[in-house]
Amino acid sequence: MKSFYFGGQKSGKTSCASAKALKLATSKPYYIATYDNSYKDEAMKERVNRHIKQRGNEFITIEEPKDLTKVIKENETYLIDCITMFILNNMPLGYEEMEKQLQKLFSINCNIVFILNDINNGVIPMEKYSREFVDISGLIGQFLAKNCDEVIEVKYCLERKLK
C-alpha cells in the first residue's frame, strides 16, 4: 500500500499519516526523517524535536535527507516525513532524478506513507530557485497522486480522501 498525505503547514499531516502507518504495519514501522540538519535553523530544530516527542517509541527512526532508496526494504512499513524536505535537499539533481528515485520506491513491495506540504496555492515566487522548488513540488505531488493507492488531503487534522 502506498498512501499520499498532503496539506498546508501545520495542517495535521504528520499525525494523520502516522496513524495510517501504524495501522498498516505488522511490526514496528519506520519513520524516515528527511530534514537535513546542516541548515543550523533553531526553529526547525524545535519543530523536529516536537515530532520526535509526538511519535515517541512507536516508530524506528531513520534519518535520510537525500537517497530514500538506500533505506527502504521489502515487507516493511515506512512513513516519509517529508517529501518537501527531500525535494529541497535534492534540488541540484533536478526533477527527473527525484522522480527516478521515487519510481524505485514504488517497485519495492512495502507500505509507504508519503507526506508533502501543499505549497502550490500561493503566488508565483519572484526568485528563480523558489519558483523551481514550487514547480518541482507540484510535479512530485502529481507523480505521487497518480501512483499512490490512496491520496488524502489534510486540513486542521481532518482527512479528505481524494483517491
Side-chain angles (χ1 to χ4, degrees):
M1 169 71 85
K2 307 293 191 283
S3 300
F4 172 35
Y5 282 73
F6 74 96
Q9 187 171 325
K10 299 310 239 175
S11 62
K13 299 178 302 294
T14 298
S15 59
C16 292
S18 295
K20 178 65 174 192
L22 290 166
K23 183 178 175 185
L24 290 172
T26 56
S27 60
K28 197 173 205 179
Y30 292 87
Y31 181 101
I32 301 177
T34 60
Y35 179 65
D36 180 356
N37 205 15
S38 66
Y39 298 111
K40 309 285 189 239
D41 182 336
E42 286 303 312
M44 279 300 289
K45 189 175 181 180
E46 288 178 29
R47 184 180 294 235
V48 167
N49 288 336
R50 278 194 308 273
H51 276 241
I52 291 169
K53 187 176 179 179
Q54 282 177 329
R55 68 180 175 265
N57 292 322
E58 294 182 301
F59 290 86
I60 299 167
T61 300
I62 300 171
E63 293 186 17
E64 180 49 57
K66 294 185 179 178
D67 188 356
L68 301 173
T69 63
K70 69 182 189 181
V71 295
I72 296 195
K73 309 290 185 232
E74 298 270 333
N75 302 315
E76 298 290 349
T77 298
Y78 299 89
L79 171 64
I80 302 175
D81 195 4
C82 74
I83 293 298
T84 308
M85 294 308 296
F86 163 82
I87 293 167
L88 181 63
N89 299 334
N90 286 293
M91 284 293 289
L93 297 177
Y95 170 75
E96 289 78 17
E97 290 303 315
M98 287 183 243
E99 184 184 287
K100 283 180 191 175
Q101 193 177 142
L102 292 173
Q103 284 174 342
K104 286 181 186 176
L105 298 185
F106 279 89
S107 70
I108 300 170
N109 181 28
C110 65
N111 297 315
I112 304 176
V113 180
F114 298 92
I115 298 174
L116 177 73
N117 286 314
D118 186 5
I119 60 171
N120 296 321
N121 291 322
V123 296
I124 298 171
M126 295 286 290
E127 198 266 324
K128 183 180 188 277
Y129 190 81
S130 297
R131 274 194 314 274
E132 288 174 5
F133 176 73
V134 171
D135 287 350
I136 290 173
S137 178
L139 293 170
I140 294 291
Q142 289 180 51
F143 175 84
L144 291 172
K146 177 182 172 188
N147 290 286
C148 282
D149 301 301
E150 61 181 6
V151 178
I152 296 96
E153 180 180 24
V154 181
K155 290 186 177 187
Y156 306 112
C157 266
L158 298 173
E159 300 178 33
R160 181 170 60 169
K161 189 170 184 176
L162 303 178
K163 175 181 174 185

